[in-house]
Amino acid sequence: MDKIVIEGGVPLRGTVQASGAKNAALPIVAAALLAEGDHLVRNVPDLADVRTMGRLLGHMGCTFERSGDHHAAAVRVPAAVTPEAPYELVKTMRASVVVLGPLVARWGRARVSLPGGCAIGARPIDQHLKGLSALGATIELAHGYVTATAPRGRLRGAVFTFDGQTVTGTENIMMAAALAEGRSVLRNCAREPEVADLAAALVGMGARIEGAGTDELRIDGVERLRPLDHHVIADRIEAGTFLVAGALPGCDVTVLGCEARHLEALVEKLRAAGATVSEVAGGVRVVGDGRPRPVDVRTAPHPGFPTDMQAQMMVPLCLADGSSRVTETVFENRFMHVQELQRLGADIGIDGKTAVVRGVAGLSGAPVMASDLRASAALVLAGLAAQGTTEVLRVYHLDRGYERIEAKLAPLGARIRRAKE
Ligand code: EPU
C-alpha cells in the first residue's frame, strides 16, 4: 500500500492543470451501454474509479481501452451484453449503480448489486428504483441484488418527481428516459454540472433532452442512440481542492482548465476567508493573504456549497483567526477527517451536523489515516500547511479521485512524495 509523505510549511506558488471530472466521466462512460458500437470519451481522468468502471463494462462483454492519448477512453459495446453488475465491483465503487438505468433502457433487464452503506453515510438508492418504476420497470430485490425489467423490453415515458435531489439518481433516470417510449418530465432533479455534462453527452448521442442544468428535465425518448463522442468537463472538485491550497497563508495558485462558474459557492467562501480570487485566462487564481478569517459553511446540493469540498475547506478554517461553523446537510457521517485533523493540532468540536472549528496559530505534522476520498484530500492540504512531516496513509482512497496528486502539487513547490507504507 502507498502513503503520501509531506514536509509541510512551504507556501505553494505556481500553476496546475485540472483533469477531467471523475463524477462526469463515470456516468458518461456508463452511457455507452445505451448504444451498440464504438464510443469515444475524451478528457477521462486516469483514476482507480474509472478503471473500476472499465472492469465493470468488461464484465458485461464490452471492451474499455485507453486510446492514443491516455486521457481518451474507447468503449466498444457489442450486439449483446451481460446486463449485470456484480457485488465484487459495486462494493468497491458505489457509482457502479449508474449502469442500472442504461441497462434496463437498452437491454430490457438489469441485475445490479445493492451498494450498501459507505464511510460517509447510508446512501440508499430508493429514488433510482422509484424513478425506474415510474418508467414502467418491474423491480425485484433478492439476494442483495436489484433486478429491473422493462415489460416487453422497453420503458415508457412518465412524469416523476424525486423526493430529494440525487446526482446519480437523476443520471440513472435521465439515461433510462432517453430510450423510453414517449415523453418524460423529471422534477426536483439534481443540478450539478456533472448531470448537465451527461445530458450534453446524451444529446450528442441523439437524445432529446431539455432543461439540462435545471431541476426539471423534459425528455422525449428516442428508439435508438448513436455511439458517444464527448469531451468531459473539468473536475471542479479537484480544481477546488487546489484552489483551497492557494488560499492557505502565503500561497498563490492558479488552476488552469477549470470553469469559474462551476465553483462560485467555493470562491465566495474563499473570498470571505480573506483570499484574493480572480478569473484569469483559462482558469482561476487564488492568493492567500495572511491568516484566514473564520467563515461559516453549510453544504447543499448545487449551486450550494458542495459536500465534496467540505473536508478541504475545513483546513484553512483550522488556521483562521476565530471560530467557524461547518454544517454538513447532504450526508449524515461526513466528518471522519475531523479526528485526523485533531491529530495535526486542529481544535474542532462536533455538535450533530455541525463542526465548530476554532482556529489555531499553526498545525504540526503527524501520521494520519483517511477514511474516504475527500477526507484524504483534506489531510494532504493540512499536511502542506503543517510544520514538519505528515504521512497520509491509505492513499488508495485518494487515488480513486485525484490523478497523481503528488505530481501536480510538487511543481508548486510542495515537498511531497509517494512511498510504500
Ligand atoms: N439519497 C437518497 N435516496 C437515493 C439517492 C440519494 O436518500 O435514492 C440521499 C443520499 O443518502 C444523500 C443525498 O440523497 O443524503 C444525496 O446523495 P446523491 O444521490 O446526490 O449522491 P450520489 O449520487 O451517490 C454523487 C457523487 C458524490 C457526491 C454526491 C453529492 C458521483 C459518482 N458521486 O453521489 O461524490 O458527494 O453526489 O454531491 O457522482 C466523491 O466524489 O467523493 C463523492 C462522494
Side-chain angles (χ1 to χ4, degrees):
M1 247 194 279
D2 288 355
K3 64 182 176 184
I4 296 277
V5 184
I6 302 164
E7 302 289 336
V10 187
L12 304 189
R13 299 183 157 264
T15 298
V16 60
Q17 179 73 38
S19 294
K22 166 180 84 81
N23 289 347
L26 292 172
I28 290 170
V29 167
L33 292 165
L34 289 164
E36 186 186 331
D38 288 305
H39 302 256
L40 185 65
V41 188
R42 282 165 280 115
N43 204 28
V44 175
D46 191 13
L47 299 173
D49 274 9
V50 172
R51 289 190 285 277
T52 302
M53 182 58 77
R55 280 208 301 281
L56 184 54
L57 291 176
H59 175 89
M60 295 179 194
C62 307
T63 57
F64 174 93
E65 283 170 3
R66 291 277 171 182
S67 71
D69 161 12
H70 88 287
H71 283 105
V75 182
R76 172 168 291 179
V77 178
V81 307
T82 309
E84 187 182 278
Y87 179 62
E88 296 71 60
L89 292 171
V90 177
K91 75 167 194 255
T92 65
M93 184 180 72
R94 281 189 44 94
S96 307
V97 76
V98 293
V99 300
L100 184 59
L103 284 177
V104 67
R106 170 64 186 83
W107 308 92
R109 184 171 173 273
R111 187 168 177 269
V112 173
S113 170
L114 288 166
C118 80
I120 60 177
R123 307 187 75 181
I125 59 162
D126 57 300
Q127 296 302 308
H128 305 230
L129 303 183
K130 275 191 182 174
L132 287 177
S133 305
L135 295 177
T138 307
I139 306 285
E140 279 169 50
L141 298 175
H143 308 297
Y145 278 77
V146 51
T147 303
T149 315
R152 295 178 305 283
R154 190 163 180 206
L155 298 172
R156 53 176 159 66
V159 175
F160 176 70
T161 304
F162 290 95
D163 291 332
Q165 288 187 4
T166 154
V167 173
T168 49
T170 302
E171 292 167 346
N172 248 332
I173 307 311
M174 172 166 57
M175 288 191 276
L179 278 183
E181 189 178 350
R183 168 164 266 228
S184 295
V185 180
L186 308 181
R187 301 211 167 102
N188 199 22
C189 294
R191 289 173 287 172
E192 269 67 5
E194 294 76 18
V195 180
D197 197 34
L198 171 64
L202 294 171
V203 167
M205 297 173 84
R208 295 173 58 195
I209 300 173
E210 285 170 15
T214 74
D215 63 358
E216 182 175 295
L217 293 170
R218 292 171 302 284
I219 304 167
D220 283 305
V222 295
E223 246 173 78
R224 68 186 65 240
L225 293 168
R226 52 181 176 268
L228 278 160
D229 183 359
H230 186 78
H231 185 98
V232 173
I233 55 169
D235 197 313
R236 66 192 167 100
I237 305 300
E238 186 209 30
T241 301
F242 296 134
L243 293 180
V244 171
L248 293 169
C251 297
D252 180 350
V253 172
T254 299
V255 185
L256 293 178
C258 63
E259 296 262 8
R261 68 194 165 96
H262 293 164
L263 289 156
E264 281 170 2
L266 173 67
V267 166
E268 218 175 284
K269 293 298 177 187
L270 292 177
R271 284 190 176 132
T276 305
V277 188
S278 48
E279 242 184 278
V280 295
V284 179
R285 179 180 177 199
V286 181
V287 181
D289 313 309
R291 196 165 173 190
R293 288 199 292 262
V295 178
D296 291 346
V297 175
R298 189 180 182 87
T299 67
H302 192 76
F305 189 93
T307 172
D308 287 347
M309 286 302 305
Q310 179 257 107
Q312 302 90 309
M313 186 66 204
M314 210 178 266
V315 175
L317 302 182
C318 285
L319 294 166
D321 188 9
S323 286
S324 310
R325 293 171 67 81
V326 177
T327 304
E328 174 58 55
T329 73
V330 179
F331 291 113
E332 70 266 30
N333 187 25
R334 210 172 194 183
F335 283 138
M336 305 285 275
H337 44 287
V338 164
Q339 283 187 352
E340 301 301 301
L341 290 171
Q342 283 166 343
R343 290 179 48 72
L344 300 175
D347 181 357
I348 310 172
I350 297 183
D351 178 10
K353 291 177 160 200
T354 299
V356 179
V357 186
R358 289 171 287 267
V360 294
L363 298 173
S364 69
V368 286
M369 187 133 68
S371 52
D372 78 88
L373 167 54
R374 307 302 169 187
S376 316
L379 295 175
V380 168
L381 295 180
L384 292 169
Q387 295 298 327
T389 307
T390 296
E391 295 194 344
V392 182
L393 308 177
R394 300 203 179 160
V395 171
Y396 58 86
H397 288 298
L398 197 63
D399 291 338
R400 290 187 42 213
Y402 292 85
E403 209 176 62
R404 299 178 62 235
I405 199 167
E406 71 281 12
K408 289 201 177 187
L409 289 170
L412 301 177
R415 287 180 296 189
I416 183 168
R417 65 189 167 83
R418 183 179 286 260
K420 290 283 168 218
E421 258 184 38

